[in-house]
Amino acid sequence: NVISVTEKQLVFEKLHALLERGKPRDFYDLYFLLRARLPMPQKKEVFPKVLAALKEKDMNFEAELKQYLPKSHWAIIRDFKTNLEREINRFI
């Protein structure tokens, strides 16, 4: 059996995880969803919270994400905060 969720449910769950847990992989998931151009409901309420969390958290994204990502994605995480902010600002 395969259980699937709608795109809307997936986005909601990923944003919820990011705002509740706030681990580097949660921020990367958002980056990936934005690059995939998935619809972002309630972005006007959520994105300011995401940007605030991104600025207040002192995380080493590169060190924490390298273990999960293939080398082809390492360039993205070198300056990840800037890359994610750029993607978010494209949607605001």
Side-chain angles (χ1 to χ4, degrees), residues 61-74:
F61 286 98
E62 190 171 357
E64 293 193 36
L65 292 174
K66 271 188 176 180
Q67 60 186 326
Y68 301 112
L69 298 173
K71 286 186 178 184
S72 61
H73 290 236
W74 288 7

Side-chain angles (χ1 to χ4, degrees), residues 13-33 50 54 57 59-69 77 80 84:
E13 289 179 17
K14 292 294 184 180
L15 288 172
H16 180 72
L18 188 153
L19 294 173
E20 290 296 315
R21 185 172 53 190
K23 294 204 177 240
R25 65 179 175 256
D26 299 321
F27 287 96
Y28 186 82
D29 286 346
L30 175 61
Y31 176 85
F32 188 84
L33 295 173
V50 171
L54 184 64
K57 291 189 180 274
M59 292 184 272
N60 185 339
F61 286 98
E62 190 171 357
E64 293 193 36
L65 292 174
K66 271 188 176 180
Q67 60 186 326
Y68 301 112
L69 298 173
I77 60 174
F80 185 71
L84 180 56

Side-chain angles (χ1 to χ4, degrees), residues 73-91:
H73 290 236
W74 288 7
I76 296 165
I77 60 174
R78 240 178 243 123
D79 191 17
F80 185 71
K81 281 187 176 185
T82 302
N83 290 330
L84 180 56
E85 284 178 33
R86 188 178 309 121
E87 287 302 317
I88 290 172
N89 287 325
R90 291 174 63 192
F91 279 81

